Amino acid sequence: MNRTATRAALRRRAALALAASGVALVVSGCGAFSRAEPPVCPRVVVLRDTAQAVQIEPGAKDVTGVRFLGRIADAQWTCDADTDDGKRYLDVALTVVIDAERGPAAPDATATAFDYYVAVADREQTILNKQVFRSDLPFPANRLKAGSKEELSIRVPLPGTSTGADYALLIGFQLDREQLEFQRGHSR
């Protein structure tokens, strides 16, 4: 083979190799372009007025009547997009961390429970859905504090072109009037 033929053969091989690698890049890139963007999760807000709950003896006027004090210590979440019957949803995996302390009016109590809520609100702060859950907290006799991690699944409908950014999950304790009044009068 002469030099000109050798050079031509090398150029053809190089062109074929380049074309093959280009096809491989295009084919491998197709999956990257077809993947959906990760969904935008709703904001999660622990509401300050209901972020703690005090369980009191009936008629208690001061802190000596406190049986238990509960706090929503943390909330963590992730979400995934879903379609069901042609409708779009966000499925939010939510973990609510609740801490509790035994008060002076419950020295021998071995357990308590706190009711808390998760509400879905839109941009105008209209409550679209609210669910109440119960957290049971055992208190060993020698402990003043206890805690729990409550794992929930919340489904948020996405009508039209809405996204998770259009919604918020609001979290707090479900308080009765007596608890709310006591807390407002004795807030820390």
Side-chain angles (χ1 to χ4, degrees), residues 69-71 73 96-102 112 114 135-140 143-150:
L69 172 65
R71 289 184 197 89
V96 178
V97 179
I98 297 176
D99 292 337
E101 292 180 39
R102 185 194 320 265
T112 191
F114 285 96
S135 177
D136 293 311
L137 296 148
F139 271 85
R143 298 284 178 110
L144 295 177
K145 295 182 179 184
S148 72
K149 282 186 177 182
E150 305 295 326

Side-chain angles (χ1 to χ4, degrees), residues 3 6 8 16 29 35 53 61 64 67 69-70 79 108 110 116 121-122 125 155 160 162 180 188:
R3 277 189 173 164
T6 305
L16 286 173
R35 288 187 188 146
K61 301 292 183 213
T64 60
R67 293 182 48 74
L69 172 65
C79 66
D108 300 323
T110 58
Y116 65 98
D122 64 14
Q125 298 182 352
R155 181 163 258 209
S162 62
L180 194 55
R188 291 184 193 182

